[in-house]
């Protein structure tokens, strides 16, 4: 009888562990339970998934490039003058640059004028060319252009290799996303949640979940007792206990779902509001990741003007949310230690297509904004739009600056991490652009990944030649923690059913 009782107890504990994991999914990347309140820099990475048309965001407004631009885009060109003209970008001394921002990017234009925004021309992957969203995004997320093996995201390696990484940071890595982004693959210190209000165990009748709420004193709910049930040493119980700790940590913060007055109400803005609150709560946030999709404008892209223009609305969404985020950080005194970097997997073709849109291209501008940015300046090299210049690049804007150069300077000057060999394997020759305030450190190359980084294996695909169409069916398959978790849950449920059947058979034999 004693053995039967123990089996039932184990069975119940396993069920509780299963419930904890299932309720917290898909955000089962676990942060630490402790807290860290020491001021530090925070890097906010915004990925514009789909390939933004950077040429209609940062628009040539004068000279020969303006002529080439209008010839290549007879119906998509942003006007240089008039009511819907590009917003002119001048240097701090007032000198014209020959470029302007899309007229819907009013907030970004104001940040430029306040020297809080800088633009890097012609960014992308210098060593790899692909027109596949799937491959290009994965290369950028992993920080290994042309290589899909290894499976740890560059943000994960940035944190795991950080010389000043504190063990008591409660929330060093945060993805405001319903799933784990690939740039945080392997991040055991990362937390992924769509919204703080949704990050909760909410299965079963609400009366059973937690104590209080008008119930009799001393009456506890299932969620209140999880820590007691998850005190075992099995792998499932340990993972469930980490999930429960993360739930408690998030629940302990005064997150507010109500946006501040004047904030835009888009989903992207709400994600940035979650990041802003997480920075303000002093939970040790170093790296935050936010995605904004919808940039694959093959048809019906639109331009700027009255009426409906898809691209115009997307730029307004991007600009308004980023501006609101910066203003919030400045008002709270955090802007001096927060940097936002905005990138996409590639740009669009210079010449518009026959469907009123643009197809996959190559080079693209990167945006960096924040208090530590040496703003109101262009960086990198603009090679122009002369067809003879573009011809060797199949009509695309050339990549003159490796995107890893921008991120490397941010890591060294603001995050104090010069271990570029760990964060960006195979990348060498780093030279700072001068984008960020801070001190330079000699970069360290060739260092193997840290033992804290858990590697995963990805499917390898042949790298296409420049301009070559990606073979049909080539898709990167990532064995994420969520996939392995689902398989583990399925196995746990099967084992639980078998255990219950064994207990029932044993009870039947004893009764007979």
């Amino acid at each position: 009888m004693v053995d039967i009782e123990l089996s039932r107890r184990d069975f119940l504990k396993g069920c509780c562990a299963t419930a904890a994991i299932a309720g917290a999914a898909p955000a089962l990347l676990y942060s630490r339970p402790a807290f860290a309140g020491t001021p530090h820099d925070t890097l906010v990475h915004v990925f514009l998934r789909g390939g933004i048309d950077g040429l209609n965001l940062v628009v040539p407004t004068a000279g020969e490039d303006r002529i080439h631009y209008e010839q290549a885009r007879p119906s998509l060109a942003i006007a240089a003058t008039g009511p819907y003209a590009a917003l002119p970008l001048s240097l701090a001394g007032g000198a014209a640059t020959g470029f302007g921002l899309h007229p819907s990017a009013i907030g970004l234009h104001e940040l430029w004028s306040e020297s809080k925004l800088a633009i890097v021309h012609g960014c992308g992957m210098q060593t790899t060319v692909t027109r596949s969203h799937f491959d290009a995004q994965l290369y950028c997320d992993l920080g290994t252009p042309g290589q899909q093996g290894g499976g740890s995201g560059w943000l994960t390696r940035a944190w795991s290799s950080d010389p000043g990484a504190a063990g008591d940071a409660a929330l060093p890595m945060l993805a405001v996303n319903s799933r784990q982004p690939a740039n945080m693959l392997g991040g055991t210190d990362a937390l992924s949640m769509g919204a703080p209000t949704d990050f909760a165990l909410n299965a079963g009748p609400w009366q059973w979940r937690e104590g209080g709420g008008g119930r009799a004193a001393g009456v506890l709910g299932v969620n209140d007792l999880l820590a007691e049930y998850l005190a075992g040493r099995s792998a499932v119980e340990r993972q469930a206990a980490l999930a429960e700790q993360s739930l408690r940590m998030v629940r302990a913060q005064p997150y507010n779902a109500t946006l501040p007055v004047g904030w835009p109400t888009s989903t992207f803005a709400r994600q940035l509001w979650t990041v802003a609150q997480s920075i303000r709560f002093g939970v040790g946030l170093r790296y935050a990741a936010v995605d904004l999709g919808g940039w694959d404008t093959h048809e019906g892209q639109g331009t700027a003007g009255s009426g409906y223009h898809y691209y115009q609305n997307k730029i307004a969404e991007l600009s308004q949310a980023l501006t609101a985020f910066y203003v919030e950080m400045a008002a709270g005194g955090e802007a001096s230690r927060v940097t936002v970097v905005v990138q996409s997997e590639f740009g669009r073709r210079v010449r518009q297509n026959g469907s009123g849109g643009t197809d996959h291209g190559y080079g693209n501008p990167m945006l960096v904004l924040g208090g530590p940015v040496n703003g109101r300046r262009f960086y990198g090299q603009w090679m122009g739009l002369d067809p003879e210049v573009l011809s060797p690049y199949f009509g695309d804007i050339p990549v003159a600056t490796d995107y890893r150069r921008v991120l490397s300077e941010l890591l060294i000057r603001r995050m104090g991490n010069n271990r570029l060999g760990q964060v960006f394997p195979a990348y060498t020759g780093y030279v700072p652009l001068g984008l960020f305030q801070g001190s330079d450190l000699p970069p360290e190359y060739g260092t193997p990944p840290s033992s804290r980084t858990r590697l995963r294996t990805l499917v390898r695909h042949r790298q296409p030649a420049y301009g070559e169409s990606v073979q049909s069916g080539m898709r990167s398959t990532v064995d994420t923690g969520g996939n392995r978790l689902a398989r583990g849950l399925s196995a746990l449920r099967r084992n639980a059913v078998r255990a219950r059947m064994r207990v029932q058979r044993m009870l039947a034999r004893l009764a007979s």
Side-chain angles (χ1 to χ4, degrees):
M1 293 297 290
V2 174
D3 290 338
I4 294 176
E5 190 68 18
L6 285 173
S7 297
R8 291 177 65 187
R9 185 179 296 115
D10 291 340
F11 171 72
L12 289 173
K13 288 171 68 178
C15 290
C16 287
T18 303
I21 293 178
L28 284 178
L29 298 173
Y30 314 119
S31 60
R32 298 173 184 269
F35 291 84
T38 303
H40 49 76
D41 268 49
T42 301
L43 187 163
V44 181
H45 184 262
V46 176
F47 204 123
L48 305 181
R49 298 193 182 270
I52 185 176
D53 180 12
L55 193 56
N56 270 16
L57 172 60
V58 183
V59 184
T61 57
E64 291 294 322
D65 283 337
R66 180 67 196 183
I67 298 174
H68 296 313
Y69 172 72
E70 291 179 347
Q71 291 175 343
R73 299 188 170 198
S75 64
L76 289 185
I78 305 299
T81 60
Y84 294 101
L87 305 172
L89 296 173
S90 62
L91 301 179
T97 64
F99 290 92
L101 285 175
H102 189 283
S104 291
I106 298 173
L108 290 177
H109 186 259
E110 293 175 352
L111 292 179
W112 172 276
S113 300
E114 295 176 5
S115 298
K116 302 303 179 185
L117 170 67
I119 299 173
V120 188
H121 280 307
C123 289
M125 294 180 286
Q126 279 190 312
T127 58
T128 300
V129 178
T130 176
R131 298 188 190 276
S132 163
H133 291 295
F134 309 97
D135 288 337
Q137 289 183 23
L138 190 58
Y139 291 152
C140 290
D141 282 332
L142 299 181
T144 55
Q147 299 294 325
Q148 296 181 3
S152 60
W154 78 268
L155 285 173
T156 297
R157 296 194 300 275
W159 169 244
S160 66
S161 63
D162 191 334
D168 62 345
L171 187 59
M173 301 173 64
L174 171 66
V176 187
N177 204 318
S178 59
R179 61 176 179 81
Q180 179 194 31
N183 51 28
M184 288 191 179
L185 278 177
T188 56
D189 287 341
L191 181 68
S192 177
M193 61 180 178
T197 53
D198 296 334
F199 195 69
L201 291 176
N202 56 5
W206 65 269
Q207 300 95 331
W208 296 3
R209 296 175 194 167
E210 296 175 358
R215 285 174 285 279
V219 175
L220 300 177
V222 173
N223 292 356
D224 300 314
L225 298 172
L226 277 178
E228 178 181 342
Y229 280 114
L230 300 174
R233 293 182 295 177
S234 70
V236 171
E237 287 172 309
R238 289 197 301 270
Q239 292 296 305
L242 287 172
E244 195 269 341
Q245 290 172 359
S246 295
L247 288 166
R248 287 182 181 274
M249 186 274 293
V250 171
R251 189 168 53 186
Q253 309 310 313
Y255 282 105
N256 189 348
T258 303
L259 292 167
V261 176
W263 268 64
T265 58
S266 66
T267 299
F268 180 55
R270 293 183 182 278
Q271 291 172 315
L272 288 177
W273 173 230
T274 297
V275 174
Q277 293 182 91
S278 301
I279 293 172
R280 185 161 295 163
F281 294 158
V283 291
L285 182 60
R286 300 324 199 258
Y287 300 94
V290 181
D291 290 350
L292 178 60
W295 299 100
D296 196 16
T297 50
H298 287 285
E299 58 185 19
Q301 177 174 315
T303 174
S306 60
Y308 176 78
H309 293 273
Y310 176 83
Y311 183 83
Q312 175 175 263
N313 295 343
K314 292 297 294 182
I315 293 297
E317 178 185 10
L318 173 68
S319 175
Q320 291 168 7
L322 289 175
T323 304
F325 176 78
Y326 175 80
V327 170
E328 184 68 27
M329 293 289 91
E334 297 94 355
S336 63
R337 56 185 182 86
V338 177
T339 305
V340 181
V341 59
V342 183
Q343 76 169 120
S344 195
E345 65 264 33
F346 44 56
R348 315 296 294 188
R349 304 300 301 273
V350 173
R351 187 169 298 279
Q352 70 178 67
N353 61 27
S355 301
T358 50
D359 297 324
H360 300 176
Y362 192 27
N364 223 7
M366 284 181 71
L367 310 182
V368 291
L369 62 99
V373 174
N374 295 319
R376 204 169 181 176
R377 286 184 56 189
F378 283 101
Y379 295 84
Q381 180 183 7
W382 172 255
M383 298 178 65
L385 298 180
D386 189 323
E388 291 188 4
V389 173
L390 303 183
S391 178
Y393 304 94
F394 296 88
D396 294 339
I397 294 175
V399 170
T401 301
D402 194 305
Y403 80 98
R404 293 171 294 182
R405 184 179 178 185
V406 176
L407 298 177
S408 294
E409 182 178 335
L410 179 52
L411 289 174
I412 289 176
R413 289 195 172 185
R414 299 309 308 175
M415 311 305 287
N417 186 354
N418 65 337
R419 298 173 180 174
L420 302 186
Q422 293 187 36
V423 183
F424 298 119
Y427 174 65
T428 58
Y430 161 74
V431 177
L433 290 163
L435 273 163
F436 306 102
Q437 302 164 17
S439 301
D440 284 318
L441 299 170
E444 295 182 5
Y445 300 115
T447 306
S450 166
S451 59
R452 293 174 54 192
T453 302
R454 183 177 54 181
L455 301 180
R456 295 170 180 164
T457 301
L458 303 181
V459 176
R460 292 181 179 272
H461 292 310
R462 178 183 61 83
Q463 172 59 32
Y466 192 104
E468 179 185 2
S469 298
V470 179
Q471 301 298 319
S472 60
M474 285 178 61
R475 294 297 183 265
S476 301
T477 304
V478 180
D479 186 15
T480 65
N483 293 335
R484 287 201 295 275
L485 176 62
R487 293 196 296 271
L489 283 174
S490 178
L492 178 63
R493 294 189 185 101
R494 290 195 300 270
N495 292 337
V497 171
R498 295 190 185 105
R500 182 175 59 186
M501 295 176 64
R502 286 197 298 270
V503 170
Q504 290 174 343
R505 287 196 296 268
M506 294 174 67
L507 289 174
R509 287 197 298 270
L510 290 173
S512 59

